[in-house]
Amino acid sequence: MRNCFLIPIYNHHETITATVEALLPYQLPLIIVDDGSDLPTKQVLAQLAQQHSLVQLLTLAENGGKGAAVTAGLRHALALGLSHALQIDADGQHDTKDIPAFWQLSAQQPLALISGAPLYDDSMPRSRRIGRHITHFWVHIETLSRDIKDSMLGLRVYPLAATVALLDKVTLGQRMDFDIEIMVRLYWQGVAVQFIPTKVIYPQGGRSHFNLLRDNWLISKMHTRLFFGMLWRAPKLLRRKWQRV
């Protein structure tokens, strides 16, 4: 296994340094994808890239969304000859203490997508909690299973070969719909999805780029596509389910 970290970032200059410093002890390449960030963020990123040889900075000319940034990072990682990328957000929501468990399980199941199953505290906004429950409901329908415990958390280890092969075949959502859609479509492709419980917080004063109108509309359209995509895949999905019984 040839591992790396992948951090998509858009205007999180306050938290990115702490995130990078928590990852440096693993002595793995850190691919940071700047998704058209503001000047303060670009200045911090340039300083990090100058200070740490492990940091590789990719800069997108304009903001294309989280999915666009992650896609660029995944393709770059595979082009470097790497085999697995652990995606982690730049805003400090994810518990970096759990990272060894992610790498360990990925080493045991190198063909699987390893994702966090979030454990939230009271800092999670009620609206986000309701939205997650709605998405869980639709993902269970789209996969005809309950194998996917959570499809929205951006803390996960991607097997790069299978993931980029999927990206070459289909056009996925480029914003907050990306994390959900790529997990469902990898599952459709037969990629196993494994989960590790991990704490997630909403830091006080933290900055969210989730746009209620735009992103909920994009997610709704995505679920519509996935539902109809499930219909003709239903025999295969049900056969897979029955074979495990």
Side-chain angles (χ1 to χ4, degrees):
M1 293 180 63
R2 301 175 302 281
N3 300 330
C4 69
F5 291 106
L6 170 57
I7 310 173
I9 183 170
Y10 178 61
N11 296 350
H12 280 297
H13 65 274
E14 309 97 331
T15 54
I16 184 59
T17 298
T19 301
V20 167
E21 289 177 348
L23 303 180
L24 286 172
Y26 293 95
Q27 289 295 296
L28 296 173
L30 275 77
I31 300 172
I32 304 177
V33 184
D34 172 13
D35 186 23
S37 295
D38 55 19
L39 181 58
T41 302
K42 290 185 183 299
Q43 291 173 336
V44 173
L45 292 177
Q47 186 176 20
L48 288 170
Q50 185 176 20
Q51 290 176 339
H52 306 291
S53 60
L54 290 173
V55 172
Q56 299 188 27
L57 181 59
L58 298 183
T59 301
L60 304 186
E62 58 185 26
N63 177 252
K66 182 180 181 181
V70 174
T71 296
L74 293 171
R75 292 189 182 281
H76 181 72
L78 184 64
L80 292 176
L82 301 170
S83 64
H84 293 78
L86 190 153
Q87 173 190 334
I88 184 169
D89 287 351
D91 57 6
Q93 280 192 323
H94 300 151
D95 190 350
T96 57
K97 295 187 182 70
D98 291 331
I99 286 175
F102 280 78
W103 286 133
Q104 182 179 11
L105 185 55
S106 182
Q108 294 169 357
Q109 301 189 47
L111 300 181
L113 171 64
I114 312 299
S115 181
L119 304 172
Y120 292 105
D121 60 16
D122 294 337
S123 66
M124 183 182 188
R126 185 170 181 269
S127 61
R128 300 294 290 272
R129 193 181 300 272
I130 293 171
R132 297 187 86 88
H133 285 311
I134 294 172
T135 279
H136 296 343
F137 169 80
W138 281 110
V139 167
H140 293 159
I141 292 175
E142 291 151 7
T143 59
L144 297 180
S145 77
R146 299 182 70 86
D147 291 344
I148 293 181
K149 297 178 174 61
D150 185 279
S151 61
M152 301 183 76
L153 189 66
L155 178 61
R156 52 181 66 172
V157 179
Y158 284 104
L160 289 172
T163 303
V164 174
L166 174 65
L167 294 172
D168 287 340
K169 287 170 49 178
V170 297
T171 300
L172 304 185
Q174 296 293 283
R175 293 193 176 273
M176 295 298 185
D177 45 350
F178 176 84
D179 286 338
I180 306 165
E181 185 171 12
I182 195 169
M183 183 176 284
V184 170
R185 289 188 178 276
L186 283 172
Y187 182 87
W188 284 354
Q189 295 281 99
V191 174
V193 184
Q194 300 295 334
F195 290 88
I196 294 175
T198 184
K199 292 181 180 179
V200 180
I201 62 170
Y202 281 77
Q204 188 173 4
R207 185 187 307 181
S208 172
H209 299 299
F210 189 91
N211 184 297
L212 283 176
L213 291 177
R214 181 195 64 198
D215 288 316
N216 279 324
W217 170 241
L218 291 174
I219 289 172
S220 297
K221 290 201 301 181
M222 174 209 64
H223 283 308
T224 302
R225 292 195 306 271
L226 293 179
F227 174 78
F228 286 104
M230 173 274 296
L231 292 179
W232 68 269
R233 292 179 174 87
K236 179 180 178 181
L237 294 171
L238 290 172
R239 185 164 57 249
R240 184 197 308 181
K241 185 175 183 178
W242 292 333
Q243 288 173 345
R244 293 190 311 211
V245 174

